């Protein structure tokens, strides 16, 4: 539904409650307003997260927005939206606060809920970051399984840029475990996929990873 339609519907419900004595209109208004606010809160939180990645300056409002989106989607019974919002709460803990252990339960809940509703894109994000948490904990084989699953999910749904990003993550993991040839194979594939879909930022990640591994730090 377009924004104008939502606004029009809330106006109609207001008039129904105010002037026609419709006792159900207020409750229905809450649902409509929640449906407007939830994606807006999530979008605002994502914008703040990208800004953090750019300047590394934390904004406490980011977490509040993701938690609000989670609450609203749960209230609406929107499993896909709730799973997405839960993922971003976990991402705040893992990426912004550097606490993968704190983020893990949110990724786990996100993954299970997304699987229940068949949201493979959100599954791919949640399992990817579970892989990062496993890698951080030294559980390299489990991390490889999760990162591989993420790439497979993204390949299935045609999320090419995400697939390329996932291959870069696998390359770093391979390098960290002493599998340099595998790391370069992942990077070659990532480069090809990124170029095929115009994912220029990911192409830059590939170049950075090649320099990292070639420098003997892998």
């Amino acid at each position: 539904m377009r924004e104008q339609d939502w606004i029009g519907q809330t106006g109609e419900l207001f008039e129904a409650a105010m002037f026609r004595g419709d006792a159900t209109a207020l409750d229905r208004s809450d649902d409509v307003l929640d449906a407007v606010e939830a994606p807006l809160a999530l979008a605002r939180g994502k914008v703040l997260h990208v800004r953090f990645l750019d300047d590394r300056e934390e904004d406490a409002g980011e977490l509040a927005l993701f938690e609000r989106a989670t609450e609203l989607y749960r209230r609406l019974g929107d499993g896909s939206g709730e799973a997405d919002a839960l993922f971003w709460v976990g991402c705040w803990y893992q990426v912004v606060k550097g606490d993968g252990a704190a983020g893990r339960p949110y990724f786990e809940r996100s993954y299970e809920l997304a699987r229940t509703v068949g949201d493979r894109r959100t599954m791919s994000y949640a399992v990817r970051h579970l892989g990062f948490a496993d890698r951080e904990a030294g559980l390299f084989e489990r991390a490889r399984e999760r990162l591989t699953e993420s790439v497979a999910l993204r390949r299935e749904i045609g999320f090419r840029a995400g697939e390329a990003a996932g291959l870069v993550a696998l390359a770093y993991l391979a390098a960290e475990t002493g599998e340099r040839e595998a790391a370069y194979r992942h990077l070659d594939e990532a480069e090809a996929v990124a170029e095929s879909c115009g994912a220029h930022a990911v192409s830059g990640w590939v170049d950075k990873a090649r320099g990292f591994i070639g420098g003997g730090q892998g």
Side-chain angles (χ1 to χ4, degrees):
M1 184 178 290
R2 295 176 305 173
E3 180 183 354
Q4 294 89 338
D5 296 330
W6 287 117
I7 294 172
Q9 188 173 348
T10 56
E12 291 171 5
L13 289 168
F14 161 75
E15 291 191 1
M18 185 74 177
F19 301 117
R20 297 197 295 274
D22 184 344
T24 69
L26 291 178
D27 289 338
R28 285 183 286 142
S29 294
D30 288 336
D31 289 341
V32 172
L33 291 169
D34 286 349
V36 174
E37 184 182 353
L40 181 60
L42 188 56
R44 286 190 181 280
K46 290 178 181 180
V47 168
L48 289 180
H49 188 77
V50 174
R51 286 180 175 155
F52 168 79
L53 296 178
D54 286 342
D55 58 28
R56 295 292 162 173
E57 293 185 8
E58 179 183 333
D59 187 326
E62 180 184 333
L63 177 61
L65 286 163
F66 291 145
E67 289 179 332
R68 178 60 174 164
T70 300
E71 175 190 352
L72 291 167
Y73 278 124
R74 184 178 299 127
R75 186 186 302 170
L76 290 164
D78 184 335
S80 182
E82 183 182 349
D84 191 12
L86 281 168
F87 163 76
W88 285 101
V89 173
C91 206
W92 185 85
Y93 283 107
Q94 185 184 62
V95 178
V96 177
K97 304 304 289 185
D99 190 343
R104 182 184 292 276
Y106 293 98
F107 297 139
E108 290 173 341
R109 287 162 56 196
S110 172
Y111 179 85
E112 291 302 325
L113 184 54
R115 183 169 63 176
T116 298
V117 299
D119 183 348
R120 289 182 290 174
R121 188 182 182 99
T122 298
M123 286 173 63
S124 80
Y125 274 102
V127 77
R128 169 181 168 86
H129 282 257
L130 282 169
F132 292 155
D134 289 336
R135 177 186 173 191
E136 184 179 283
L139 303 172
F140 297 119
E141 193 53 41
R142 186 190 295 179
R144 191 186 326 276
E145 291 172 1
R146 293 195 197 273
L147 294 175
T148 299
E149 180 183 353
S150 178
V151 170
L153 285 165
R154 291 174 172 191
R155 188 173 288 141
E156 288 172 10
I157 62 175
F159 181 18
R160 300 283 282 166
E163 178 188 345
L167 289 164
V168 174
L170 280 170
Y172 274 114
L173 180 61
E176 189 171 352
T177 54
E179 302 169 84
R180 291 166 66 91
E181 289 186 9
Y184 283 121
R185 285 198 301 271
H186 288 313
L187 290 177
D188 288 343
E189 186 178 0
E191 185 173 25
V193 174
E195 288 178 356
S196 74
C197 64
H200 303 301
V202 181
S203 295
W205 302 348
V206 172
D207 291 340
K208 182 177 180 180
R210 288 192 193 281
F212 181 85
I213 296 169
Q217 301 181 51

